[in-house]
Amino acid sequence: MNSRQYIALEDTYGAHNYHPLDVVLTRGEGVWVYDVDGKRYLDCLSAYSALNQGHVHPVILEAFQAQASRLTLTSRAFRNDQLPLLYKELVELTGYEMSLLMNSGAEAVETAIKLARKWAYTVKKTPRHQAEIITAAGNFHGRTISIISTSTEPFYRDDFGPFTPGFASVPYGDANAIEAAINENTCAILVEPIQGEGGVIIPPDGYLRQIRAICDQHHILFMADEIQTGLGRTGKMFACQHEEVRPDVTIIGKAMSGGFYPVSAVLADKSLLGLFRPGEHGSTFGGNPLAAAVARAALRVLVEEGMIENAVTQGDYFMEQLAEIPSPHVREVRGKGLLIGVELKPEAGGARRFCEAMLQEGILAKETHENVIRFAPPLIIDRQTIDWALDRIRDVLTRR
Ligand SMILES: *Cc1c(COP(=O)(O)O)cnc(C)c1O
């Protein structure tokens, strides 16, 4: 079958809840992917940062295959010999005393929301079912009903109410607005250190530190959604570390498995995660031995192969070069590490057409929020490959 035939099948029989670029991929290796017609592309999306380690990383593959042939699922009714090792390695890597394993990012965010409420009722003594969590406008935390209840994006929520109560919304990047929104029932603030889906929005310097101070002062939990920004993407293990801030709860997912398998986690100290009692929360697949083995390998290569340092070096270079492209369409280039957004002027006709043009040139990038092109290649990318990409990006941004 050729690309056209695959696309026709998909469009006929699959729900149209995505609007993918018309490229049908069949193989990936490192920063490169190949379509069914044999054409090669540079992956500049990395599955929304789930592929920080690159496609089919050989060390993760080996762990995946070995574990898949030994034991894949026990459920948490029984213990397995991989999960305890992952727990221990997460403590050493992140500095949090405990973790709770889930599968998708949205499930981990839901878990954090439940944890904050549990803490409110058992520790802070908030009246039952009155707890409130502050979230930021423009956020993306996933797609469940409760999570979209925090969304300010009409498209994500308009046809899906009624919504879950207990959330307040404030403008992103404004710590004073957070302080003003706090009331006696506020138990937590949930934010992304950089808004990825929101259009690579970087808050003002000091924002995260201010949130930390506000939380300490008002006895509120600071919960950071690092599902996209964490695990090296911005040049630190966690983006909050750019401000030397330690949230009470950090949520990770995506690159936790290097793209092999859905693995997510809520990280916190024992005073919080110790609040869950047996049976109160869970997941059949969460913390399964295959997921744990894959996550262990994915986290190990991230550190051992210097990917986080590489995100700094290559990210700085990539961003600097992008900013020098004399394009009439570009309004701003911004980012941290290898999470880069190129915001186009409103009159540029939207980011989609540039992404389609880059596709023709062998570069896969996706528009986010209509006018922003996100460049987020795997963290293993080298300078030579960035130069290759820049030649093509320059062409697309200046000639069209
Ligand atoms: C992708 C993402 C999620 C949701 O993760 P899923 O695995 O798609 O459920 C949540 N928060 C952020 C910041 C994300 O980028």
Side-chain angles (χ1 to χ4, degrees), residues 104-107 109 140-142 192 197 225 227-228 254:
S104 70
E107 285 175 300
V109 172
F140 183 83
H141 297 297
E192 300 153 86
E197 298 315 296
D225 179 347
I227 292 169
Q228 185 161 156
K254 295 208 163 110

Side-chain angles (χ1 to χ4, degrees), residues 53-98:
Q53 299 89 338
H55 289 268
V56 198
H57 191 292
V59 173
I60 312 174
L61 175 65
E62 201 188 314
F64 182 87
Q65 287 177 330
Q67 189 60 43
S69 59
R70 207 159 50 226
L71 182 69
T72 56
L73 184 61
T74 52
S75 84
R76 297 291 301 281
F78 312 111
R79 298 175 190 263
N80 70 69
D81 64 0
Q82 288 299 309
L83 183 57
L85 302 177
L86 174 60
Y87 280 149
K88 180 161 177 290
E89 287 161 13
L90 278 172
V91 169
E92 289 159 2
L93 193 69
T94 69
Y96 287 101
E97 294 169 3
M98 282 187 162

Side-chain angles (χ1 to χ4, degrees), residues 172-184:
Y172 186 65
D174 179 355
N176 293 332
I178 293 177
E179 188 130 46
I182 290 172
N183 63 45
E184 76 239 26

